[in-house]
Amino acid sequence: MAITYNSQSRIFKLDTDHTTYLMGLTSEGYLGHIYYGPRMEHEAGTAPFRLPEFPSPSMLRREKIAFLAGFPFEYPTAGVGDYRESCLDVVGKDGAPGVELFFDSCSIEDGKPALEGLPASFAGDETAVKTLKIVLKDPVLGLRVTLLYSVFPAEDVITRSVLLENESPDALHVRRVLSMGMDMDNRDFEMMGLFGCWARERHPERISLHHGKQVLSSQRGVSSPQESPFMAILTPEATQTQGEVYGMSLVYSGNFEACADVSMYDSVRLVMGINPENFDWLLTPGSTFTAPEVVMTYSGSGLDRMTLSFHHFFRDHLIRNPYRGKLRPVLINNWEGTTFHFDEEKLYQIAKDAHGFGMDMFVMDDGWFGLRNDDDHGLGDWEVNENKLHGGLDALVRRVKALGMKFGIWIEPEMVNEDSDLYRAHPDWAIRLNGRDPSRGRNQLVLDVSRKEVRDHIMDQILKVFHGTSIDYVKWDMNRYLSDLESSSLPADRQGELSHRFVLGVYAMQQRLLDEMPGLLFENCSSGGARFDAGMLFYSPQIWTSDDTDAIERLKIQEGTAMVFPITTMGAHVSLCPNDQVGRTTPFETRANVALAGTFGYELVLSDLPDDERALIRKQIEHYHQFHMLNEEGDYYRLNSWSGDRLYDCWMVASPDKKEALVTYVQVLGRPNWRSTAIRLKGLDPDQLYTIRLVSGSVKKGPQHSSADQDMDKLFQTECRGDELMNIGLYIPALKDFESLLIHVYA
Ligand code: DGJ
């Protein structure tokens, strides 16, 4: 049984294949956390809590505050004496704060319920997944709180979310409702987050926990590139392959908070959910509120295991798009090549050129609508600009399709430029503070898509264009953060709902797009990768990872992203050098080898490439066709990180049947007078005899002698057993700066 409740001991036990999660009730009905870690066959004994030290209120009423300050609450509440970070803070009719929750009932069901209006994982096989609902109540507020736990045994994942219901005759103000809490004893834990900014998204960052609160969060209205809605808590010895790791990922695309609060007793409280900052939800009598889902996993063998559990889970239980598990079209996108400066002939030539190299899809990026000839104008006016696309969009789509290519298009539905017909007609549709000059980002304002009439107007316009022709792929962009949070449609006591309502509005719009265009390949994007989160993956099977397409910068960005998300969810393109962001020149092969990890494409004008680079494109596309399904279904392992030793990056993907693997090695900094480096592979069959073949290598013949000057192919035409490759290693010859190798290992 994946979930049991022992009504004698009043202990809940949740089991996955390799982990166990335990909670228990005190005699008063407080729900406490007992354990999360390696699987245990037996439930906890009779004294799972430290009650003799801090007796619970029914045993020692005069010291209730000492109990509340130390008890390991499963879902901690604010205002009554637990001073650590809380999950729930509600204000009643008299304006005073304070929530206290007591057990009411519980039930265990097959499958997993959907969460209304929110992205959420699904069971697939309803019998393989079980859901526990624990109902807690605050009798004073008349508040019913249902904690939902769904157990996915094979993936070692437990998901959590929370449902609030106001059972009182009075309105309640919910000032904080997080999705999970968990209290554990500190084991010198460290915290891993994904830090960044535009063009430097999701760099892994690891710190030691100290007393007090360590918070990862966003208040930007999107999950943001600054911090990601992901947190891992690790024991200090944890590496890729050893040590304990607790991973948490929030299925949400807006403001979030993830906090580790280390108490005076050296316990660690972990919480995660919607950021309480700027949040205030009016819960009218009889109404409900659903908090987004957290995906939790525990690994007793380092980060690799955590990553694999997340990857398997997101692939099989979150991504719904029909392209999941399939080859994606190799695309050519015109953005870095033309920006806003194109007409239909220029675009057609780009597509034609790309088709000549075997590319499958042309994507027309920003600039095809309204008066969008730069980024100051036109957002909000979703009508084809026929001064640029003479003859209309359908004519261009037909020409491109006549080549045998698919057609993709860019949109940014959540935004408006003040210089647009939409803004002139509906200035009140923008989010802005009454009487203040609003902050602009890229000279645009954010549309209040919490309003149904705004959503309907924008989507009607966009879908009219799409239905007038034949679109295969949509890239949905979002290029500024939210600020000036006021909606002209919300009453004063509901303004605190705007940020969350905005996110729900975005989800509703994306769902409508998918409902009306069922076979669509959909890609999310936000100024590069500012909204790369599990919420977005529910709608699109791929997300643009970063506007930084420099192959070396991408290594860190893709390492951090792939720590949580399946690698083929990462939009990755080959672009021109010197690179736009950093001015670096990297070998064309390296740019392709790095992009091959994700959804593959080119973002340039092909005729700008030198002949020797153009000559490589067909082979690169062949590599994508050969290896995408391995990347899509295989197990990803991080073998080295250049952000650690500054020298080289290396990762691999092994097929589930262990019959083949693809190893990518990138030398960031070459070392003079160096010999080969042995890389220990992972995830292979120790007894299997493998052939090792160099697929692609960017190796310059240099004046300096190195093994790289030898015939590279010969170095890899060897056979090795899996145990040799995993214990002795695969020898990588000395390479020079930015050179890279793609190596196929197969039975
Ligand atoms: C930001 C995106 O990340 C780019 O790929 C491109 O689509 C531009 N916006 C277009 O404005």
Side-chain angles (χ1 to χ4, degrees), residues 198 333 335 340 365-366 372 375 410 412 442 475 477-479 525-529 544 546-547 603:
W198 176 75
N333 177 305
W335 175 249
F340 299 99
D365 212 281
D366 196 355
R372 187 80 172 157
D375 54 12
W410 175 100
E412 191 176 3
R442 211 192 190 198
K475 174 179 174 189
D477 205 347
M478 196 284 190
N479 281 301
C525 168
S526 177
S527 293
W544 183 231
S546 176
D547 279 344
E603 190 151 339

Side-chain angles (χ1 to χ4, degrees), residues 265-568:
Y265 299 123
D266 218 17
S267 67
V268 181
R269 170 167 293 171
L270 306 175
V271 300
M272 189 179 238
I274 295 177
N275 194 333
E277 187 88 25
N278 290 323
F279 177 88
D280 186 348
W281 195 273
L282 186 68
L283 201 63
T284 51
S287 67
T288 61
F289 181 90
T290 307
E293 175 171 301
V294 172
V295 179
M296 302 192 309
T297 188
Y298 166 82
S299 159
S301 50
L303 283 161
D304 279 346
R305 187 69 254 163
M306 175 199 78
T307 295
L308 287 174
S309 298
F310 275 135
H311 285 194
H312 291 167
F313 181 77
F314 289 139
R315 285 197 306 221
D316 295 341
H317 299 286
L318 187 72
I319 302 174
R320 304 171 298 166
N321 193 276
Y323 275 91
R324 155 70 198 110
K326 296 217 178 79
L327 212 58
R328 318 281 160 88
V330 173
L331 66 81
I332 177 94
N333 177 305
N334 70 300
W335 175 249
E336 285 202 27
T338 67
T339 64
F340 299 99
H341 311 297
F342 57 79
D343 60 14
E344 82 289 352
E345 203 44 51
K346 193 166 184 181
L347 296 183
Y348 177 69
Q349 285 310 326
I350 294 174
K352 194 164 164 232
D353 236 13
H355 179 253
F357 287 101
M359 293 183 209
D360 309 305
M361 179 163 75
F362 170 71
V363 176
M364 177 174 67
D365 212 281
D366 196 355
W368 57 266
F369 53 92
L371 293 179
R372 187 80 172 157
N373 298 318
D374 55 34
D375 54 12
D376 289 329
H377 312 276
L379 279 176
D381 295 340
W382 297 104
E383 275 167 17
V384 178
N385 180 349
E386 297 208 8
N387 291 323
K388 269 170 137 172
L389 301 185
H390 303 98
L393 176 61
D394 190 45
L396 175 63
V397 173
R398 282 173 189 278
R399 282 180 84 192
V400 170
K401 294 216 162 182
L403 294 168
M405 295 180 91
K406 294 180 186 295
F407 194 95
I409 195 165
W410 175 100
I411 49 174
E412 191 176 3
E414 299 153 69
M415 296 292 154
V416 66
N417 285 122
E418 286 153 281
D419 189 4
S420 66
D421 291 341
L422 181 75
Y423 188 77
R424 282 183 282 276
H426 300 285
D428 61 312
W429 282 10
I431 293 176
R432 55 186 300 174
L433 292 167
N434 198 9
R436 285 187 199 279
D437 185 35
S439 295
R440 291 160 187 90
R442 211 192 190 198
N443 211 10
Q444 60 199 50
L445 300 179
V446 184
L447 281 174
D448 184 0
V449 300
S450 73
R451 295 168 68 169
K452 185 165 184 325
E453 67 273 30
V454 178
R455 294 200 294 271
D456 287 350
H457 175 89
I458 295 292
M459 292 312 290
D460 287 350
Q461 266 199 326
I462 288 175
L463 285 162
K464 190 169 161 213
V465 173
F466 291 177
H467 289 323
T469 182
S470 161
I471 300 291
D472 302 293
Y473 157 105
V474 168
K475 174 179 174 189
W476 179 303
D477 205 347
M478 196 284 190
N479 281 301
R480 62 154 289 183
Y481 309 127
L482 272 64
S483 66
D484 305 87
L485 293 172
E486 183 173 339
S487 165
S488 56
S489 73
L490 289 173
D493 58 356
R494 284 194 180 274
Q495 289 294 339
E497 300 178 11
L498 180 57
S499 296
H500 182 58
R501 285 186 181 275
F502 176 86
V503 178
L504 296 179
V506 174
Y507 291 149
M509 290 163 89
Q510 296 206 347
Q511 191 55 52
R512 178 171 167 201
L513 178 73
L514 297 176
D515 288 344
E516 292 203 23
M517 300 178 74
L520 189 71
L521 175 57
F522 187 35
E523 176 157 344
N524 265 289
C525 168
S526 177
S527 293
R531 206 161 54 180
F532 204 124
D533 56 65
M536 288 283 107
L537 277 190
F538 185 67
Y539 301 93
S540 63
Q542 57 195 61
I543 303 174
W544 183 231
T545 316
S546 176
D547 279 344
D548 197 334
T549 49
D550 171 68
I552 302 304
E553 286 299 309
R554 272 290 180 128
L555 295 175
K556 258 192 257 173
I557 296 169
Q558 294 185 184
E559 177 190 355
T561 309
M563 189 180 285
V564 185
F565 300 108
I567 59 171
T568 55

